[in-house]
Amino acid sequence: KKSSIMILSLVATVVAAAGGTLAPPRLIIDTDMSGDCDDVGATCLAHALMDRGEVELIAVVHNTGLDAGVGAVSVINTYYNRSELPVGAYKGTFDNWLRGPYVDDLVARFPSQIRNESEAPDALDVYRAALASSPDSSVWIASIGFTTNLQALLTSEPDRHSPLQGAELVKAKVRGISWMGGRYPASTPGGHGLPSPEHNFGFNNIGPSTASVVAGWPKSVPAFFVGFEVGAAVGTGGVMTNHTPTDNPCRAAYIDHSGPGVDRASWDPATTLFAVRGLQDLFTAHSTGHNAVGEDGNNQWVETGRAENQSYLVLSSAAGVKAAIDALLLAPPQR
């Protein structure tokens, strides 16, 4: 069974917003920009969508302990002429050893206001400030990494930004979350030959945090899960090598990671694209049942036959998603 009327109505509202009949949705990106270049693609894509008036990107928060991760985020923001965009750093140690092939290169070769986590405010403070300053039910979150920041947000106490506890703040301000993680209908081994659990849900013992956040996510806030199988079917980004200038850090990250002219799977760009544009004719949403995540990070969709405000996306057009993402990655920044 596919989307319930309630979920389809929500997504239609988002698409209408993208078309300009309503104020564009606000967006917070929660990224583990470190190992894989698709986080870069997602962030660049969001800037291109903002240039088109389809979204208002209000903050980017980084969710691993890699010191230079926020520096790479700041490089991208600066390239798109938004160096003032709030950037928050996770200040813990989780995954602080994972250095991908592009982060240090971007920070060394491209201009930015922030070089490392010591120069950025705490991600939780940025999250709460961005949400508190937004109208009710106006913010989409693109979760394209781990749950370190989301766990801190849900359990946070009232502060100078808002008198609301974290989960209550999410209920008040968040319109929906587009969440890259898991596989659907299940991540457990079954002949697919893929690692179990999926990376974002289980890597480096993050499973207990993932399970806590998924179980504790406010039921009134729609959650759309974008599984490994969706992004794995869509390669993007290689086109930037020959069709964007050498001062483009998005181009540089993809070359550093995969080589010149080579596409990368689109897990994070597809997740961010949906957060802004909705289903269109690119995806369908399975919206009966809910996601159950174990302490090891493995997930299983529990089919109940009724809408529970959770969905997982099913890819309808790999070619359409590829075309949309590549077009946005090729768009030059507005100066």
Side-chain angles (χ1 to χ4, degrees):
K1 296 176 69 174
K2 301 302 178 185
S3 304
S4 68
I5 294 175
M6 176 179 64
I7 297 295
L8 284 174
S9 176
L10 170 70
V11 175
T13 300
V14 175
V15 174
T21 58
L22 298 172
R26 295 184 170 208
L27 178 67
I28 297 173
I29 293 178
D30 193 338
T31 172
D32 65 333
M33 193 177 291
S34 55
D36 207 315
C37 64
D38 66 324
D39 293 84
V40 174
T43 308
C44 296
L45 174 151
H47 279 284
L49 287 166
M50 189 167 175
D51 283 345
R52 295 182 178 208
E54 295 186 44
V55 72
E56 182 181 356
L57 182 60
I58 60 172
V60 182
V61 292
H62 192 259
N63 55 51
T64 81
L66 179 65
D67 55 354
V70 288
V73 171
S74 183
V75 164
I76 295 166
N77 294 347
T78 300
Y79 178 70
Y80 283 92
N81 201 31
R82 296 188 178 97
S83 59
E84 77 291 345
L85 186 74
V87 174
Y90 166 73
K91 301 289 186 174
T93 60
F94 174 77
D95 235 17
N96 61 358
W97 52 270
L98 182 60
R99 308 192 81 88
Y102 65 86
V103 169
D104 291 335
D105 181 44
L106 295 193
V107 173
R109 290 203 295 126
F110 296 89
S112 67
Q113 286 198 345
I114 297 170
R115 313 306 288 180
N116 57 60
E117 59 88 17
S118 70
E119 300 174 354
D122 187 272
L124 176 60
D125 191 67
V126 172
Y127 241 136
R128 288 188 58 93
L131 291 176
S133 62
S134 296
D136 287 352
S137 299
S138 66
V139 179
W140 274 84
I141 295 172
S143 176
I144 54 173
F146 302 105
T147 49
T148 52
N149 293 331
L150 288 174
Q151 186 173 29
L153 175 62
L154 288 180
T155 59
S156 62
E157 297 299 323
D159 61 3
R160 61 194 175 94
H161 301 300
S162 172
L164 297 177
Q165 184 272 345
E168 295 302 315
L169 184 61
V170 169
K171 288 180 188 178
K173 302 296 183 177
V174 177
R175 191 175 192 168
I177 182 169
S178 182
W179 200 331
M180 196 279 124
R183 286 194 298 273
Y184 301 91
S187 66
T188 49
H192 48 56
L194 296 172
S196 179
E198 184 274 325
H199 182 84
N200 282 2
F201 274 13
F203 183 70
N204 200 18
N205 299 312
I206 196 66
S209 173
T210 307
S212 174
V213 175
V214 171
W217 187 254
K219 297 187 184 306
S220 62
V221 180
F224 294 85
F225 295 95
V226 185
F228 176 93
E229 67 282 356
V230 173
V234 183
T236 55
V239 68
M240 288 187 287
T241 297
N242 294 324
H243 298 284
T244 61
T246 57
D247 69 344
N248 183 337
C250 311
R251 172 186 183 273
Y254 274 70
I255 293 174
D256 286 345
H257 183 277
S258 303
V262 179
D263 281 341
R264 181 59 176 155
S266 302
W267 298 294
D268 297 345
T271 301
T272 306
L273 182 70
F274 168 77
V276 178
R277 290 185 172 174
L279 295 173
Q280 298 189 307
D281 59 352
L282 305 178
F283 312 96
T284 59
H286 184 102
S287 300
T288 57
H290 63 270
N291 203 8
V293 181
E295 292 288 301
D296 64 352
N298 273 304
N299 72 286
Q300 172 76 47
W301 192 262
V302 179
E303 182 55 60
T304 63
R306 65 180 184 275
E308 299 186 38
N309 230 11
Q310 292 189 6
S311 307
Y312 67 84
L313 297 192
V314 178
L315 185 64
S316 297
S317 174
V321 174
K322 176 179 176 60
I325 292 172
D326 275 340
L328 291 165
L329 293 179
L330 290 177
Q334 291 185 354
R335 299 293 187 181

